[in-house]
Amino acid sequence: MKKSILLATAVVLAMQSNAGAEEVKKELDEVSVTATRIERKTAEVPASIAVISEEQINDTKMFNVKEALTGTPGVLIETTNQGYDSRLIIRGAGLKAAYGVREIMVLRDGVPVTDPDGMTRLDMVDTQNIERIEVVKGPNSTLWGANASGGVINIITKNPLERKGGTIKLGAGDFDTYNLHASYTDDISEKLYYSASLSRRETSNSWRRWNEFETTQLSVQPYVVLDDGSTWENNISYSKADLQLSGSLDEAMFQEYLQTGEANQTTGQWQYSGRYSDSYFVSSKVTKELGDLEFIPLVYVNYWEHHHPVTGRINDAETWTMGTDFQFNYKHKVASEAATMTVGITVRFDDQKTEYYKYADIALGVDPPGPSPAPIDHVLSDAVGDHMETQTREALLYGLYVQESFSPVKKTVVDVGARVDVIDFKIISNADWEYNWGTKNYGIPSVPYTETNKSYTAFSPRIGANYELTEQFHTFISASTGVNTPSESEINDNPNLEMVETQSYELGLKGRGGNWTFDSSVYYSPVKNEVVKVAQSDHTDYVNAGKTLKKGFEFAGSYTLLDSLNIGTSYTYSDYTFEEFNEPTGSYVFPIGMVYQDNFRNGNRLPYIPVHQYSLFASYKHQTGFKAKIQSHTWGSYYMDNANTEKYEGYDFVTNLMLGYETSRYDFSVNIDNLFDDQYAVEVTKDLALVKSYKPGAPRTIMARVNLKF
């Protein structure tokens, strides 16, 4: 019945994407720079890419990037609280991330947000100031370096050179949800432009306990046009973000949630986890042409403080991240045809100092016989207790890349490139206490001082070719590589981890018609040394799998009717299996220690990744200003664990609706997420003790917004 209602609503109101043939034409001519580092129309890029347009972004409330990326084939993204903690996976990359984004390079206006060890925090991204998002799927380490084995996401903010005037956005919704954004762009002289913005987002998310989110963000973007036509772009920003993490439900709690819709419970010892950060970010980039040579030097500095209650301890970290990238584009000819050679040097450095503390407020369980202390049953707050450990981490990445783009025959563009990266890690720990997984309480560390030095060298070649079959159709083929280092925290837990090496072979077809567009591709991607999570009963270990194999098909298409109604769909098929993986499962036997047993997982599917995922969408925009957008997406069934002991059925047709009215001066809209108030889980896992954990999805939420331009 619900599906019938959905389809009827889709026909009457229409769903997502672009409005009108003129808007479709605009998107067909979209230019991307992320996949190749040089400007090129999306149809001519020999890679799978997706561009989330400004109109699509404006039609969502944009509390987080999840709202923009939902429905993009090959991209799995979910969040439990509308905050910045979205779990992001592209073609299986990012699956192991306990928090943050891993194995995917994230850029803001071409500037890396990803740290040298491969972790990305999205708390510094002001989602209210995004103009569009470019997504490159599959390995792209050739141009962007290590830790881009899954793909690249470039978040592009509004350029002060391209618009003048001010904007005020106001929003309010249920669960005490509020949004405020104000920005103003102007020029001081004919050469100096600037943009300033302020954003505030907050929500109690009271449908779950311990689930509040709030953030305040400020940014200034000076933009200078020099006398010779060169540009100098700058970005200075500050972000304060406080995020509570509500934890998981056990099976009984989840069944109660399905019956009653109530999810104000949580399970486990560590029920007051959260992430509280202050970030300062400065970047400066020049684009200068010297005849046939274009020179693009970039420097950036990021300082952030992070208070992070996690499993067993509370982290207080302060980190300096800095980097530079010098890119040269040389225009020349190969066999009388235009060509461009891109050469660059990258250096990134990360220096982190972390203080670890005990939880101050704890409730103890039953005191066992013998000398062992009573286990911690659960914590009562996230208050800081005694000091446990001081740890310093340093990561240094430096690399050299080169790419030649040329046309060996008419209507063909070939990209050939390679890159070498060296990544060095140094981790020093001085511990007074440690959390003991056997006794489940604090104890004296067996090794108070440790020093770990690890170095990786990566070589990443790539070749791709795009051919214009007709004016409307392009086909491409590519062979690319990607590398991914373990993160500093993973190396600290397991110094023997090897670097992940990904290969990808892809064939695609792209179509751009007068009122239709589509992108499709099929890929084959063997991976060596995939870092895999091993879910113990009370913590997670990280180990290398010998080999995994990822095969898939992706399709996205849309069609415009009557110059105002656009309908479309996307579909993802993912066949991801372990080819060689002996999972080390273990149990603690006091006082002997952890006893491990290997379990062969060869042929099993990777957990959490559904074989089938699809989305239906459409939008309607009348000349009077009325507009409507509805999107429904499905997350297919998946295995809960590496052993493939049980599947979670996923969810069907979770639907979002937008109704609004827009003029040249203001835009009023109402967003209803999870329109039918479905109860489902955004993530289900099972540990080695066969205990299941559920993270419920948000119920129906409603938010009204108004956007004023002056």
Side-chain angles (χ1 to χ4, degrees), residues 615-665:
S615 176
L616 304 173
F617 53 88
S619 67
Y620 178 79
K621 190 171 183 179
H622 194 268
Q623 60 185 3
T624 60
F626 171 77
K627 60 181 181 178
K629 166 183 169 181
I630 188 168
Q631 179 177 18
S632 188
H633 56 280
T634 293
W635 193 303
S637 64
Y638 57 85
Y639 285 106
M640 302 179 187
D641 57 0
N642 297 329
N644 288 185
T645 58
E646 187 176 354
K647 281 186 175 182
Y648 175 62
E649 67 273 15
Y651 53 81
D652 295 318
F653 294 117
V654 173
T655 303
N656 302 329
L657 173 67
M658 182 278 297
L659 299 173
Y661 185 81
E662 182 178 0
T663 71
S664 60
R665 297 296 300 274

Side-chain angles (χ1 to χ4, degrees), residues 214-263:
E214 61 179 8
T215 182
T216 302
Q217 295 168 306
L218 300 166
S219 71
V220 179
Q221 295 174 269
Y223 194 107
V224 180
V225 180
L226 304 177
D227 290 337
D228 61 357
S230 302
T231 59
W232 181 20
E233 304 172 52
N234 300 274
N235 190 307
I236 305 166
S237 62
Y238 166 74
S239 176
K240 178 176 177 59
D242 294 335
L243 175 71
Q244 296 175 342
L245 300 175
S246 55
S248 301
L249 306 180
D250 61 25
E251 190 163 13
M253 294 174 182
F254 184 68
Q255 292 303 319
E256 181 180 351
Y257 157 73
L258 294 180
Q259 295 294 324
T260 66
E262 297 293 328

Side-chain angles (χ1 to χ4, degrees), residues 127-316:
T127 56
Q128 299 298 305
N129 204 32
I130 297 175
E131 182 174 84
R132 72 181 192 276
I133 301 175
E134 296 182 7
V135 182
V136 182
K137 295 173 285 186
N140 208 301
S141 291
T142 303
L143 291 177
W144 295 106
N147 305 314
S149 62
V152 180
I153 293 179
N154 192 5
I155 298 171
I156 299 170
T157 60
K158 297 171 182 177
N159 190 328
L161 188 64
E162 297 177 355
R163 64 189 71 205
K164 293 180 64 175
T167 299
I168 295 178
K169 299 178 184 178
L170 300 172
D174 50 4
F175 302 109
D176 301 313
T177 302
Y178 302 99
N179 174 53
L180 165 67
H181 174 77
S183 64
Y184 188 75
T185 301
D186 204 350
D187 59 81
I188 297 176
S189 69
E190 63 178 11
K191 300 294 184 182
L192 177 59
Y193 303 78
Y194 73 93
S195 178
S197 68
L198 164 68
S199 292
R200 169 73 181 179
R201 306 192 303 281
E202 63 178 81
T203 179
S204 70
N205 274 316
S206 55
W207 62 279
R208 292 220 64 194
R209 181 177 70 86
W210 195 256
N211 204 30
E212 295 181 7
F213 165 64
E214 61 179 8
T215 182
T216 302
Q217 295 168 306
L218 300 166
S219 71
V220 179
Q221 295 174 269
Y223 194 107
V224 180
V225 180
L226 304 177
D227 290 337
D228 61 357
S230 302
T231 59
W232 181 20
E233 304 172 52
N234 300 274
N235 190 307
I236 305 166
S237 62
Y238 166 74
S239 176
K240 178 176 177 59
D242 294 335
L243 175 71
Q244 296 175 342
L245 300 175
S246 55
S248 301
L249 306 180
D250 61 25
E251 190 163 13
M253 294 174 182
F254 184 68
Q255 292 303 319
E256 181 180 351
Y257 157 73
L258 294 180
Q259 295 294 324
T260 66
E262 297 293 328
N264 274 312
Q265 302 182 73
T266 191
T267 186
Q269 292 174 280
W270 320 106
Q271 300 184 6
Y272 291 91
S273 182
R275 301 187 193 113
Y276 314 94
S277 66
D278 289 85
S279 302
Y280 303 83
F281 192 89
V282 178
S283 67
S284 185
K285 180 172 70 173
V286 173
T287 302
K288 184 177 182 61
E289 291 190 8
L290 301 169
D292 292 330
L293 181 66
E294 183 181 46
F295 177 41
I296 310 176
L298 161 70
V299 295
Y300 64 94
V301 178
N302 176 27
Y303 172 76
W304 59 280
E305 297 175 349
H306 193 199
H307 182 77
H308 188 13
V310 292
T311 301
R313 58 190 185 182
I314 297 173
N315 304 354
D316 262 330

